[in-house]
Amino acid sequence: ENYPGVGSINGVDLSNQMYDDMLRSKVVVVRENCTDVDLSSEVKIIKTAINTFYATTVILAMGVRPRQLNSELENKFIGKGLSYSATHEGELFRGKDVAVIGGGKSAFVDAFYMADIARSVMLVHRTDKFRVSQIELDKANEKHIIIKTYNVVRDLVGDEKLEQLVLANTESGELTTYNIDGIFMSVGRVPNTEMLAGIIDLDEQGYIVSNDCKTNIDGVFASGDIRTKELRQIVTATSDGAICAVLAIAYLTKAKK
């Protein structure tokens, strides 16, 4: 709902519409995973497991992925009661008891979404300080979302699927077990910039240090959630894309002279 002109739409449908628009522009799409880059010379080199591509200018838009608190524990239940997106997989838990882990905007979005379709929703956060406004907190109360502050996930229990959630109180250490059908991990994002370390300037969190979508390398630009910015929403990502395109065209025009 933070993207103008389309009403209420989920991210998958919106991105599919954008993809169709792109194809009408006769853009060549190559579905291969990038394995390495060499951006040090005038001609940039992009490698995949299959091909090597050469370009005068490159736009980096690798996005982010959900942050994991305990990958060994979480990976055991992915697709078996654990999810990272209520809007993608929430329907699987319609009429069931679920928990959302996190205290930021995305956690509340997931909790609000599930409150409309689940039997009960519990939101778990390690402190009582939330990264949302009072409006969201009031809305959570109106939707009867159970908020558990000063709690963290200690264990996930189940055989074929998730059955129980064990929380630890961060103040007393007391453990509490809840019967649960599903949990949504919403504890932040991690930029997909590992292969850029030592090549592109990154901040402490791994985001590309970028001023107006430019990077420290001429002809290389950064777009979307992957770069340092005040607000990470689809509307700002599309703005970045437009800026990067104009900058890339200007760079190519200058390179040809």
Side-chain angles (χ1 to χ4, degrees), residues 6-57:
V6 294
S8 180
I9 186 172
N10 66 56
V12 174
D13 290 340
L14 181 59
S15 62
N16 284 338
Q17 289 184 19
M18 292 179 177
Y19 181 76
D20 291 339
D21 287 343
M22 181 182 66
L23 292 181
R24 282 191 284 272
S25 299
K26 299 181 179 180
V27 172
V28 177
V29 178
V30 179
R31 294 184 177 274
E32 297 174 17
N33 290 327
C34 179
T35 58
D36 194 17
V37 296
D38 183 350
L39 308 175
S40 58
S41 60
E42 183 177 348
V43 177
K44 323 303 181 189
I45 302 173
I46 309 297
K47 294 182 179 180
T48 73
I50 303 172
N51 291 300
T52 299
F53 300 93
Y54 302 90
T56 305
T57 183

Side-chain angles (χ1 to χ4, degrees), residues 64-69 84 101-107 126 131 185-191 207:
V64 296
R65 63 183 184 274
R67 182 185 301 279
Q68 290 187 311
L69 295 177
Y84 294 93
I101 314 300
K105 180 72 173 181
S106 60
R126 65 183 183 275
R131 298 183 301 278
M185 301 298 296
S186 187
V187 291
R189 301 289 184 265
V190 178
Y207 290 94

Side-chain angles (χ1 to χ4, degrees), residues 3-178:
Y3 191 81
V6 294
S8 180
I9 186 172
N10 66 56
V12 174
D13 290 340
L14 181 59
S15 62
N16 284 338
Q17 289 184 19
M18 292 179 177
Y19 181 76
D20 291 339
D21 287 343
M22 181 182 66
L23 292 181
R24 282 191 284 272
S25 299
K26 299 181 179 180
V27 172
V28 177
V29 178
V30 179
R31 294 184 177 274
E32 297 174 17
N33 290 327
C34 179
T35 58
D36 194 17
V37 296
D38 183 350
L39 308 175
S40 58
S41 60
E42 183 177 348
V43 177
K44 323 303 181 189
I45 302 173
I46 309 297
K47 294 182 179 180
T48 73
I50 303 172
N51 291 300
T52 299
F53 300 93
Y54 302 90
T56 305
T57 183
V58 173
I59 298 174
L60 302 169
M62 294 101 87
V64 296
R65 63 183 184 274
R67 182 185 301 279
Q68 290 187 311
L69 295 177
N70 186 327
S71 58
E72 182 177 352
L73 187 63
E74 293 172 39
N75 290 344
K76 178 181 177 181
F77 290 102
I78 291 177
K80 300 177 182 179
L82 186 147
S83 173
Y84 294 93
S85 174
T87 54
H88 285 179
E89 299 180 337
E91 282 294 329
L92 298 174
F93 304 95
R94 178 177 287 274
K96 298 182 178 182
D97 300 312
V98 302
V100 177
I101 314 300
K105 180 72 173 181
S106 60
F108 276 78
V109 169
D110 282 349
F112 294 155
Y113 183 89
M114 293 309 302
D116 292 333
I117 62 176
R119 179 166 53 196
S120 68
V121 178
M122 178 170 59
L123 190 145
V124 181
H125 188 41
R126 65 183 183 275
T127 73
D128 64 348
K129 306 299 182 184
F130 295 96
R131 298 183 301 278
V132 295
S133 69
Q134 188 61 45
I135 295 175
E136 278 89 354
L137 293 174
D138 292 340
K139 186 176 180 179
N141 183 58
E142 293 170 2
K143 287 182 172 289
H144 305 291
I145 294 171
I146 303 166
I147 297 181
K148 295 287 185 181
T149 55
Y150 295 106
N151 273 274
V152 295
V153 177
R154 174 60 59 85
D155 199 7
L156 301 176
V157 182
D159 293 323
E160 297 300 319
K161 62 181 182 64
L162 179 65
E163 297 173 356
Q164 293 181 319
L165 168 66
V166 181
L167 297 181
N169 188 286
T170 58
E171 295 182 315
S172 67
E174 179 183 0
L175 300 180
T176 307
T177 300
Y178 298 91

Side-chain angles (χ1 to χ4, degrees), residues 188-236:
R189 301 289 184 265
V190 178
N192 297 314
T193 56
E194 287 82 358
M195 73 170 61
L196 301 176
I199 302 173
I200 297 291
D201 288 345
L202 307 176
D203 69 6
E204 294 181 354
Q205 287 75 44
Y207 290 94
I208 295 174
V209 177
S210 173
N211 182 25
D212 294 332
C213 298
K214 297 178 181 179
T215 72
N216 59 297
I217 297 180
D218 289 342
V220 180
F221 310 99
S223 174
D225 289 357
I226 198 174
R227 76 179 189 90
T228 53
K229 58 198 304 186
E230 291 297 323
L231 180 64
R232 292 186 174 91
Q233 289 186 351
I234 296 174
V235 66
T236 64

